[in-house]
Amino acid sequence: MEVKKIEVGSKVKWVSQSQGSVKEKAGIVHAVVEAGANAMSLLPTGIVSSQIKFDTWRSLHKRYIIAVPRGGKSQKIDYYCPRVGDLQLRND
């Protein structure tokens, strides 16, 4: 069986927990953040702080920035940086 590699453009999903609520999130890999790199420098220009859904600029571990559409009437995209081990490739 071929193992798919997570790279920019890959469709991914993960389960997120916040304040007792569990949600599945899905999006597209926007950027690969190498260990020690500044994740903020890889975000698109022109976004506002409310679209950034992570707070660690640098990490000792490789990470991925995931672009997740807000949905509904909003055209905005939020940017998350979940733990790599939580990510799963989507088949759709």
Side-chain angles (χ1 to χ4, degrees):
M1 176 190 249
E2 180 183 336
V3 176
K4 291 190 177 181
K5 196 172 168 183
I6 296 176
E7 53 192 24
V8 172
S10 295
K11 294 179 180 182
V12 295
K13 64 182 178 179
W14 74 99
V15 174
S16 117
Q17 296 182 16
S18 177
Q19 299 177 359
S21 175
V22 177
K23 280 185 164 181
E24 183 175 282
K25 296 201 180 334
I28 296 175
V29 176
H30 168 76
V32 178
V33 186
E34 296 299 333
N38 181 350
M40 297 301 197
S41 69
L42 299 172
L43 291 170
T45 57
I47 65 170
V48 294
S49 61
S50 64
Q51 291 175 265
I52 303 169
K53 303 299 184 181
F54 61 95
D55 58 5
T56 305
W57 292 33
R58 296 185 192 277
S59 173
L60 297 175
H61 307 284
K62 180 178 181 176
R63 300 180 291 163
Y64 297 91
I65 297 175
I66 313 300
V68 178
R70 285 191 181 172
K73 293 181 180 181
S74 178
Q75 297 297 313
K76 288 191 177 183
I77 294 175
D78 292 325
Y79 295 88
Y80 292 84
C81 210
R83 291 183 299 211
V84 173
D86 292 343
L87 292 176
Q88 298 175 0
L89 285 169
R90 291 178 9 215
N91 295 325
D92 58 347

Coordinates of all heavy atoms in Angstrom, one line a residue:
M1 N 0.8 -1.2 0.0 CA 0.0 0.0 0.0 C 0.9 1.2 0.0 O 1.8 1.4 0.8 CB -0.9 0.0 1.2 CG -1.8 1.2 1.4 SD -2.6 1.3 3.0 CE -4.2 1.1 2.4
E2 N 0.6 2.2 -0.9 CA 1.3 3.4 -1.0 C 0.9 4.4 0.2 O -0.2 4.6 0.4 CB 1.0 4.1 -2.3 CG 1.8 5.4 -2.5 CD 1.4 6.0 -3.9 OE1 0.9 5.3 -4.8 OE2 1.5 7.2 -3.9
V3 N 1.9 5.0 0.8 CA 1.7 5.9 1.9 C 1.7 7.3 1.3 O 2.7 7.7 0.6 CB 2.7 5.8 3.0 CG1 2.5 6.9 4.1 CG2 2.7 4.4 3.6
K4 N 0.7 8.1 1.4 CA 0.6 9.4 0.9 C 1.3 10.4 1.8 O 1.2 10.3 3.0 CB -0.8 9.9 0.7 CG -1.5 9.1 -0.4 CD -2.8 9.8 -0.7 CE -3.5 9.0 -1.9 NZ -4.7 9.6 -2.3
K5 N 2.0 11.3 1.2 CA 2.8 12.3 2.0 C 2.0 13.6 2.1 O 1.3 14.0 1.1 CB 4.1 12.5 1.2 CG 5.2 13.2 1.9 CD 6.4 13.3 1.1 CE 7.4 14.2 1.6 NZ 8.6 14.3 0.8
I6 N 2.0 14.2 3.2 CA 1.3 15.4 3.4 C 2.3 16.5 2.9 O 3.4 16.7 3.3 CB 1.0 15.7 4.9 CG1 0.1 14.6 5.4 CG2 0.4 17.1 5.1 CD1 -0.2 14.7 6.9
E7 N 1.7 17.3 1.9 CA 2.5 18.4 1.4 C 1.5 19.6 1.1 O 0.3 19.5 1.2 CB 3.2 18.0 0.1 CG 2.3 17.3 -0.9 CD 3.1 16.6 -2.0 OE1 4.2 16.2 -1.8 OE2 2.5 16.4 -3.1
V8 N 2.1 20.7 0.6 CA 1.2 21.9 0.3 C 0.2 21.5 -0.7 O 0.5 20.8 -1.7 CB 2.1 23.0 -0.2 CG1 1.3 24.2 -0.7 CG2 3.0 23.5 0.9
G9 N -1.0 21.8 -0.5 CA -2.1 21.5 -1.3 C -2.9 20.2 -0.9 O -4.0 20.0 -1.4
S10 N -2.3 19.4 0.0 CA -3.0 18.2 0.4 C -4.3 18.6 1.2 O -4.3 19.5 2.0 CB -2.1 17.4 1.4 OG -1.0 16.9 0.7
K11 N -5.3 17.8 1.0 CA -6.6 18.0 1.8 C -6.4 17.1 3.1 O -6.1 15.9 3.0 CB -7.8 17.5 1.0 CG -8.1 18.3 -0.2 CD -9.3 17.8 -1.0 CE -9.6 18.6 -2.2 NZ -10.7 18.1 -2.9
V12 N -6.6 17.8 4.2 CA -6.5 17.1 5.5 C -7.6 17.3 6.4 O -8.4 18.2 6.2 CB -5.2 17.5 6.2 CG1 -3.9 17.1 5.4 CG2 -5.1 19.0 6.5
K13 N -7.7 16.5 7.5 CA -8.7 16.7 8.5 C -8.1 16.4 9.9 O -7.1 15.6 9.9 CB -10.0 15.9 8.3 CG -9.8 14.4 8.3 CD -11.0 13.6 8.0 CE -10.7 12.1 8.0 NZ -11.9 11.4 7.7
W14 N -8.7 16.8 10.9 CA -8.3 16.5 12.3 C -9.4 16.8 13.3 O -10.4 17.5 12.9 CB -7.0 17.2 12.7 CG -7.1 18.7 13.0 CD1 -7.2 19.2 14.2 CD2 -7.2 19.8 12.1 NE1 -7.3 20.6 14.1 CE2 -7.3 21.0 12.8 CE3 -7.2 19.9 10.7 CZ2 -7.4 22.2 12.2 CZ3 -7.3 21.1 10.1 CH2 -7.4 22.2 10.8
V15 N -9.3 16.3 14.4 CA -10.3 16.5 15.5 C -9.7 17.6 16.4 O -8.6 17.4 16.9 CB -10.7 15.2 16.2 CG1 -11.6 15.6 17.4 CG2 -11.3 14.3 15.3
S16 N -10.5 18.6 16.7 CA -10.0 19.6 17.6 C -10.9 19.7 18.9 O -12.1 19.4 18.8 CB -10.0 21.0 16.9 OG -10.8 21.9 17.4
Q17 N -10.3 20.0 20.0 CA -11.0 20.2 21.2 C -10.8 21.5 21.8 O -9.6 22.0 21.9 CB -10.6 19.1 22.2 CG -10.9 17.7 21.8 CD -10.4 16.7 22.8 OE1 -10.2 17.0 24.0 NE2 -10.3 15.4 22.4
S18 N -11.8 22.2 22.3 CA -11.7 23.5 22.9 C -12.9 23.7 23.9 O -14.0 23.5 23.5 CB -11.7 24.6 21.8 OG -11.7 25.8 22.4
Q19 N -12.6 24.0 25.1 CA -13.6 24.2 26.1 C -14.6 23.2 26.2 O -15.8 23.5 26.2 CB -14.1 25.6 25.9 CG -13.1 26.7 26.0 CD -13.7 28.1 25.7 OE1 -14.8 28.3 25.4 NE2 -12.8 29.1 25.8
G20 N -14.3 21.9 26.1 CA -15.2 20.8 26.2 C -15.9 20.4 25.0 O -16.7 19.5 24.9
S21 N -15.7 21.2 23.9 CA -16.3 20.9 22.6 C -15.4 20.2 21.7 O -14.2 20.6 21.6 CB -16.8 22.3 22.0 OG -17.3 22.1 20.7
V22 N -15.9 19.2 21.0 CA -15.0 18.4 20.1 C -15.6 18.6 18.7 O -16.8 18.5 18.4 CB -15.0 16.9 20.4 CG1 -14.2 16.1 19.4 CG2 -14.5 16.7 21.8
K23 N -14.7 19.0 17.7 CA -15.1 19.3 16.3 C -14.1 18.7 15.4 O -12.9 18.7 15.7 CB -15.2 20.8 16.1 CG -16.4 21.5 16.5 CD -16.3 23.0 16.0 CE -17.6 23.7 16.2 NZ -17.5 25.0 15.7
E24 N -14.6 18.2 14.3 CA -13.7 17.8 13.2 C -13.5 19.0 12.3 O -14.5 19.7 11.9 CB -14.3 16.6 12.4 CG -13.3 16.2 11.3 CD -13.8 14.9 10.6 OE1 -13.7 13.8 11.1 OE2 -14.2 15.1 9.4
K25 N -12.3 19.3 12.0 CA -12.0 20.4 11.1 C -11.3 19.8 9.8 O -10.7 18.8 9.9 CB -11.0 21.4 11.8 CG -11.6 22.1 13.0 CD -10.9 23.3 13.3 CE -11.3 24.1 14.4 NZ -12.6 24.0 14.9
A26 N -11.5 20.5 8.7 CA -11.0 20.1 7.5 C -10.5 21.3 6.7 O -11.1 22.3 6.7 CB -12.0 19.3 6.7
G27 N -9.4 21.1 6.0 CA -8.9 22.2 5.2 C -7.8 21.7 4.2 O -7.6 20.5 4.0
I28 N -7.0 22.6 3.7 CA -5.9 22.4 2.8 C -4.6 22.9 3.3 O -4.6 24.0 3.9 CB -6.2 23.0 1.4 CG1 -7.5 22.4 0.8 CG2 -5.1 22.9 0.5 CD1 -8.0 23.1 -0.4
V29 N -3.6 22.1 3.2 CA -2.3 22.5 3.7 C -1.8 23.8 2.9 O -1.7 23.7 1.7 CB -1.2 21.4 3.6 CG1 0.1 21.9 4.0 CG2 -1.6 20.2 4.4
H30 N -1.6 24.8 3.7 CA -1.2 26.1 3.1 C 0.3 26.2 3.0 O 0.9 26.7 2.1 CB -1.8 27.3 3.9 CG -1.2 28.6 3.6 ND1 -1.5 29.3 2.5 CD2 -0.2 29.3 4.2 CE1 -0.8 30.4 2.4 NE2 0.0 30.5 3.5
A31 N 1.0 25.7 4.1 CA 2.5 25.8 4.2 C 3.0 24.7 5.1 O 2.3 24.2 6.0 CB 2.9 27.2 4.7
V32 N 4.3 24.3 4.8 CA 5.0 23.4 5.7 C 5.9 24.3 6.5 O 6.7 25.2 6.0 CB 5.8 22.4 4.9 CG1 6.6 21.5 5.8 CG2 4.9 21.6 4.0
V33 N 5.9 24.2 7.9 CA 6.7 25.0 8.7 C 7.8 24.1 9.3 O 7.5 23.2 10.1 CB 5.9 25.6 9.9 CG1 6.7 26.6 10.7 CG2 4.7 26.3 9.3
E34 N 9.0 24.3 8.9 CA 10.1 23.5 9.4 C 10.4 23.8 10.8 O 10.1 24.9 11.3 CB 11.3 23.6 8.5 CG 11.2 23.2 7.1 CD 10.9 21.7 6.9 OE1 11.3 20.9 7.8 OE2 10.3 21.3 5.9
A35 N 11.0 22.9 11.6 CA 11.3 23.1 13.0 C 12.1 24.3 13.1 O 13.1 24.6 12.3 CB 12.1 21.9 13.5
G36 N 11.8 25.2 14.1 CA 12.5 26.4 14.3 C 12.1 27.6 13.5 O 12.5 28.7 13.7
A37 N 11.3 27.4 12.4 CA 11.0 28.5 11.5 C 9.8 29.3 12.1 O 9.0 28.8 12.9 CB 10.5 27.9 10.1
N38 N 9.7 30.5 11.6 CA 8.6 31.4 12.1 C 7.4 31.2 11.3 O 7.3 31.5 10.1 CB 9.1 32.9 11.9 CG 8.1 33.8 12.4 OD1 6.9 33.5 12.7 ND2 8.5 35.1 12.5
A39 N 6.4 30.6 11.8 CA 5.1 30.2 11.1 C 4.4 31.5 10.6 O 3.8 31.5 9.6 CB 4.2 29.4 12.0
M40 N 4.5 32.6 11.4 CA 3.8 33.8 11.0 C 4.3 34.3 9.6 O 3.6 34.9 8.8 CB 4.0 34.9 12.0 CG 3.4 34.5 13.3 SD 1.6 34.2 13.2 CE 1.1 34.3 14.9
S41 N 5.6 34.1 9.3 CA 6.1 34.6 8.0 C 5.6 33.8 6.8 O 5.7 34.3 5.7 CB 7.7 34.5 8.1 OG 8.1 33.1 8.0
L42 N 4.9 32.7 7.1 CA 4.4 31.9 6.0 C 2.9 32.2 5.7 O 2.3 31.6 4.8 CB 4.6 30.4 6.2 CG 6.1 30.1 6.4 CD1 6.2 28.6 6.8 CD2 6.8 30.3 5.0
L43 N 2.3 33.0 6.5 CA 0.8 33.3 6.3 C 0.7 34.3 5.2 O 1.6 35.1 4.9 CB 0.3 33.9 7.6 CG 0.1 32.9 8.8 CD1 -0.2 33.7 10.1 CD2 -0.9 31.9 8.5
P44 N -0.5 34.3 4.5 CA -0.7 35.3 3.5 C -0.8 36.7 4.0 O -1.2 36.9 5.1 CB -2.0 34.9 2.8 CG -2.6 33.8 3.7 CD -1.6 33.4 4.7
T45 N -0.4 37.7 3.2 CA -0.5 39.1 3.6 C -2.0 39.5 3.6 O -2.8 38.9 2.8 CB 0.3 40.0 2.7 OG1 -0.2 39.8 1.3 CG2 1.8 39.7 2.7
G46 N -2.3 40.5 4.4 CA -3.7 41.0 4.4 C -4.7 40.3 5.3 O -5.8 40.7 5.4
I47 N -4.3 39.3 6.0 CA -5.2 38.6 6.9 C -5.2 39.4 8.2 O -4.2 40.1 8.6 CB -4.9 37.1 7.1 CG1 -3.6 36.9 7.8 CG2 -5.0 36.4 5.8 CD1 -3.4 35.5 8.3
V48 N -6.3 39.3 9.0 CA -6.4 39.9 10.3 C -6.1 38.9 11.4 O -6.2 37.7 11.2 CB -7.8 40.6 10.5 CG1 -7.9 41.7 9.5 CG2 -8.9 39.6 10.3
S49 N -5.8 39.4 12.6 CA -5.4 38.5 13.7 C -6.5 37.5 14.0 O -6.1 36.4 14.5 CB -5.0 39.3 14.9 OG -6.1 40.1 15.4
S50 N -7.7 37.8 13.8 CA -8.8 36.9 14.2 C -8.8 35.6 13.2 O -9.5 34.6 13.5 CB -10.2 37.5 14.1 OG -10.5 38.0 12.8
Q51 N -8.1 35.7 12.1 CA -8.0 34.5 11.2 C -6.9 33.6 11.6 O -6.8 32.5 11.1 CB -7.8 35.0 9.8 CG -9.0 35.7 9.2 CD -8.7 36.3 7.8 OE1 -8.3 37.4 7.7 NE2 -8.8 35.5 6.8
I52 N -6.0 34.0 12.5 CA -4.9 33.2 13.0 C -5.3 32.4 14.2 O -5.6 33.0 15.3 CB -3.6 34.0 13.3 CG1 -3.3 34.9 12.0 CG2 -2.5 33.2 13.7 CD1 -2.2 35.9 12.3
K53 N -5.4 31.1 14.1 CA -5.9 30.2 15.1 C -4.9 29.4 15.8 O -5.1 28.3 16.3 CB -7.0 29.3 14.6 CG -8.2 30.1 13.9 CD -8.9 31.0 14.8 CE -10.1 31.7 14.1 NZ -10.8 32.6 15.0
F54 N -3.7 30.0 15.9 CA -2.6 29.3 16.7 C -1.7 30.4 17.3 O -1.8 31.6 16.8 CB -1.7 28.4 15.8 CG -1.1 29.1 14.6 CD1 0.3 29.5 14.7 CD2 -1.7 29.2 13.4 CE1 0.9 30.1 13.7 CE2 -1.1 29.8 12.3 CZ 0.2 30.3 12.5
D55 N -1.0 30.1 18.3 CA -0.2 31.2 19.0 C 1.3 30.9 19.1 O 2.0 31.8 19.6 CB -0.8 31.5 20.3 CG -0.9 30.3 21.3 OD1 -0.3 29.2 20.9 OD2 -1.4 30.4 22.4
T56 N 1.7 29.8 18.6 CA 3.1 29.5 18.7 C 3.8 29.9 17.4 O 3.6 29.3 16.4 CB 3.4 28.0 19.0 OG1 2.6 27.7 20.2 CG2 4.8 27.7 19.2
W57 N 4.6 30.9 17.4 CA 5.3 31.3 16.2 C 6.4 30.4 15.8 O 6.6 30.1 14.6 CB 5.9 32.7 16.4 CG 5.0 33.8 16.6 CD1 3.7 33.7 17.2 CD2 5.1 35.1 16.2 NE1 3.1 34.9 17.2 CE2 3.9 35.8 16.6 CE3 6.1 35.8 15.6 CZ2 3.8 37.2 16.3 CZ3 5.9 37.2 15.3 CH2 4.8 37.8 15.7
R58 N 7.1 29.9 16.8 CA 8.2 28.9 16.5 C 8.0 27.6 17.3 O 7.5 27.7 18.4 CB 9.6 29.5 16.8 CG 9.9 30.7 16.0 CD 11.3 31.2 16.3 NE 11.5 32.5 15.8 CZ 11.9 32.8 14.5 NH1 12.1 31.7 13.7 NH2 12.1 34.0 14.1
S59 N 8.5 26.5 16.8 CA 8.3 25.3 17.4 C 9.6 24.4 17.2 O 10.3 24.6 16.2 CB 7.1 24.5 16.9 OG 7.0 23.2 17.4
L60 N 9.8 23.5 18.1 CA 11.0 22.6 17.9 C 10.7 21.5 16.9 O 11.5 20.8 16.5 CB 11.4 22.0 19.2 CG 11.8 22.9 20.3 CD1 12.1 22.2 21.6 CD2 13.1 23.6 19.9
H61 N 9.4 21.4 16.5 CA 8.9 20.4 15.6 C 8.4 20.9 14.3 O 7.9 22.0 14.2 CB 7.8 19.5 16.3 CG 8.2 19.1 17.7 ND1 9.1 18.0 17.9 CD2 8.0 19.6 18.9 CE1 9.3 17.8 19.1 NE2 8.6 18.8 19.8
K62 N 8.4 20.1 13.3 CA 7.9 20.4 12.0 C 6.3 20.5 12.1 O 5.7 19.8 12.9 CB 8.2 19.3 10.9 CG 7.6 19.5 9.6 CD 8.1 18.4 8.7 CE 7.6 18.6 7.3 NZ 8.1 17.5 6.4
R63 N 5.7 21.5 11.5 CA 4.3 21.7 11.5 C 3.7 22.0 10.2 O 4.5 22.3 9.2 CB 4.0 22.9 12.5 CG 4.5 22.7 13.9 CD 4.1 23.9 14.7 NE 4.9 25.0 14.3 CZ 4.6 26.3 14.7 NH1 3.6 26.5 15.5 NH2 5.4 27.3 14.3
Y64 N 2.4 22.1 10.1 CA 1.7 22.4 8.9 C 0.7 23.5 9.2 O 0.0 23.4 10.2 CB 1.0 21.2 8.3 CG 1.9 20.1 7.9 CD1 2.2 19.1 8.8 CD2 2.4 20.0 6.6 CE1 3.0 18.0 8.4 CE2 3.2 19.0 6.2 CZ 3.5 18.0 7.1 OH 4.4 17.0 6.8
I65 N 0.6 24.5 8.3 CA -0.4 25.6 8.5 C -1.6 25.1 7.6 O -1.4 24.8 6.4 CB 0.1 26.9 8.1 CG1 1.2 27.4 9.0 CG2 -1.1 27.9 8.1 CD1 1.8 28.7 8.6
I66 N -2.7 25.0 8.1 CA -3.9 24.5 7.4 C -4.9 25.6 7.2 O -5.3 26.3 8.2 CB -4.6 23.3 8.2 CG1 -3.6 22.3 8.7 CG2 -5.7 22.7 7.3 CD1 -2.8 21.6 7.6
A67 N -5.3 25.8 6.0 CA -6.3 26.9 5.6 C -7.7 26.2 5.7 O -8.0 25.2 5.0 CB -6.0 27.4 4.2
V68 N -8.6 26.8 6.5 CA -9.9 26.3 6.7 C -10.9 27.3 6.5 O -11.0 28.4 7.2 CB -10.1 25.7 8.2 CG1 -11.5 25.2 8.4 CG2 -9.0 24.7 8.5
P69 N -11.8 27.2 5.4 CA -12.8 28.2 5.2 C -13.8 28.2 6.3 O -14.1 27.2 6.9 CB -13.5 27.6 3.9 CG -12.6 26.6 3.4 CD -11.8 26.1 4.5
R70 N -14.2 29.4 6.7 CA -15.2 29.6 7.8 C -16.5 29.0 7.5 O -17.3 28.6 8.3 CB -15.3 31.1 8.1 CG -14.2 31.6 8.9 CD -14.4 33.0 9.5 NE -13.2 33.5 10.2 CZ -13.1 34.7 10.7 NH1 -14.1 35.5 10.5 NH2 -12.0 35.0 11.3
G71 N -16.9 29.1 6.2 CA -18.2 28.6 5.8 C -19.3 29.6 6.0 O -19.1 30.8 6.4
G72 N -20.6 29.2 5.7 CA -21.7 30.1 5.7 C -21.5 31.2 4.7 O -21.0 31.0 3.6
K73 N -21.9 32.4 5.1 CA -21.8 33.6 4.2 C -20.4 34.2 4.2 O -20.0 35.0 3.3 CB -22.8 34.7 4.6 CG -24.2 34.2 4.4 CD -25.1 35.4 4.8 CE -26.6 34.9 4.6 NZ -27.5 36.0 5.0
S74 N -19.5 33.8 5.1 CA -18.2 34.3 5.2 C -17.3 33.8 4.1 O -17.3 32.6 3.8 CB -17.6 34.0 6.6 OG -16.3 34.5 6.6
Q75 N -16.5 34.6 3.5 CA -15.5 34.3 2.5 C -14.1 34.1 3.2 O -13.2 33.8 2.5 CB -15.5 35.3 1.4 CG -16.8 35.4 0.6 CD -17.1 34.1 -0.1 OE1 -16.3 33.5 -0.7 NE2 -18.4 33.6 0.1
K76 N -14.0 34.4 4.5 CA -12.7 34.4 5.1 C -12.2 33.0 5.3 O -13.0 32.0 5.4 CB -12.8 35.1 6.5 CG -12.9 36.6 6.3 CD -12.7 37.3 7.6 CE -12.8 38.8 7.4 NZ -12.5 39.5 8.6
I77 N -10.9 32.9 5.5 CA -10.2 31.6 5.7 C -9.5 31.8 7.0 O -8.8 32.8 7.2 CB -9.3 31.2 4.6 CG1 -10.1 31.0 3.3 CG2 -8.4 30.0 4.9 CD1 -9.3 30.7 2.1
D78 N -9.6 30.8 7.9 CA -8.8 30.7 9.1 C -7.6 29.8 8.9 O -7.7 28.9 8.2 CB -9.7 30.2 10.3 CG -10.8 31.2 10.7 OD1 -10.6 32.4 10.6 OD2 -11.9 30.8 11.0
Y79 N -6.6 30.1 9.7 CA -5.3 29.4 9.6 C -5.0 28.7 10.9 O -4.8 29.4 11.9 CB -4.2 30.3 9.1 CG -4.5 30.8 7.7 CD1 -5.2 32.0 7.5 CD2 -4.0 30.1 6.6 CE1 -5.5 32.4 6.2 CE2 -4.3 30.5 5.3 CZ -5.1 31.7 5.1 OH -5.4 32.1 3.9
Y80 N -4.9 27.4 10.9 CA -4.6 26.6 12.1 C -3.3 25.9 11.9 O -2.8 25.8 10.8 CB -5.7 25.5 12.2 CG -7.1 26.0 12.5 CD1 -7.9 26.4 11.5 CD2 -7.5 26.0 13.8 CE1 -9.2 26.9 11.8 CE2 -8.8 26.4 14.1 CZ -9.6 26.9 13.1 OH -10.9 27.3 13.4
C81 N -2.7 25.5 13.0 CA -1.5 24.8 13.0 C -1.6 23.6 14.0 O -1.0 23.6 15.1 CB -0.4 25.7 13.5 SG 1.2 25.4 12.7
P82 N -2.4 22.6 13.6 CA -2.6 21.4 14.6 C -1.3 20.6 14.7 O -0.4 20.7 13.9 CB -3.7 20.7 13.9 CG -3.6 21.0 12.4 CD -3.1 22.4 12.4
R83 N -1.4 19.7 15.7 CA -0.3 18.8 15.9 C -0.2 17.8 14.6 O -1.2 17.4 14.1 CB -0.5 17.9 17.1 CG -0.3 18.8 18.4 CD -0.4 17.9 19.6 NE -1.8 17.3 19.6 CZ -2.4 17.0 20.7 NH1 -1.9 17.2 21.9 NH2 -3.6 16.4 20.6
V84 N 1.0 17.6 14.2 CA 1.2 16.7 13.0 C 0.6 15.4 13.2 O -0.1 14.8 12.2 CB 2.7 16.6 12.7 CG1 2.9 15.6 11.5 CG2 3.3 18.0 12.3
G85 N 0.7 14.8 14.3 CA 0.1 13.5 14.6 C -1.4 13.4 14.5 O -1.9 12.3 14.4
D86 N -2.1 14.5 14.6 CA -3.5 14.6 14.5 C -4.0 14.6 13.1 O -5.2 14.4 12.9 CB -4.1 15.8 15.3 CG -3.8 15.6 16.8 OD1 -3.6 14.5 17.3 OD2 -3.9 16.7 17.5
L87 N -3.2 15.0 12.2 CA -3.6 15.2 10.8 C -3.9 13.8 10.1 O -3.1 12.9 10.2 CB -2.6 16.0 10.0 CG -2.5 17.4 10.4 CD1 -1.3 18.1 9.6 CD2 -3.8 18.2 10.2
Q88 N -4.9 13.8 9.3 CA -5.2 12.7 8.4 C -5.5 13.2 7.0 O -6.2 14.2 6.9 CB -6.4 11.9 8.9 CG -6.3 11.3 10.2 CD -7.7 10.7 10.7 OE1 -8.6 10.7 9.9 NE2 -7.7 10.1 11.8
L89 N -5.0 12.5 6.0 CA -5.3 12.9 4.6 C -6.8 12.6 4.3 O -7.3 11.6 4.8 CB -4.4 12.1 3.6 CG -3.0 12.6 3.6 CD1 -2.2 11.6 2.8 CD2 -2.9 14.0 2.9
R90 N -7.5 13.5 3.6 CA -8.8 13.3 3.2 C -8.8 12.6 1.8 O -8.0 12.8 1.0 CB -9.6 14.6 3.1 CG -9.8 15.2 4.5 CD -10.5 16.6 4.4 NE -11.1 17.0 3.2 CZ -11.1 18.3 2.8 NH1 -10.5 19.2 3.5 NH2 -11.7 18.6 1.7
N91 N -9.9 11.8 1.6 CA -10.0 11.1 0.3 C -10.9 11.8 -0.7 O -11.1 11.3 -1.8 CB -10.5 9.7 0.5 CG -9.5 8.9 1.3 OD1 -8.3 9.0 1.1 ND2 -10.0 8.0 2.2
D92 N -11.5 12.9 -0.3 CA -12.5 13.6 -1.2 C -11.8 14.6 -2.2 O -10.7 14.9 -2.1 CB -13.6 14.3 -0.4 CG -13.0 15.3 0.5 OD1 -11.8 15.4 0.8 OD2 -13.8 16.1 1.1

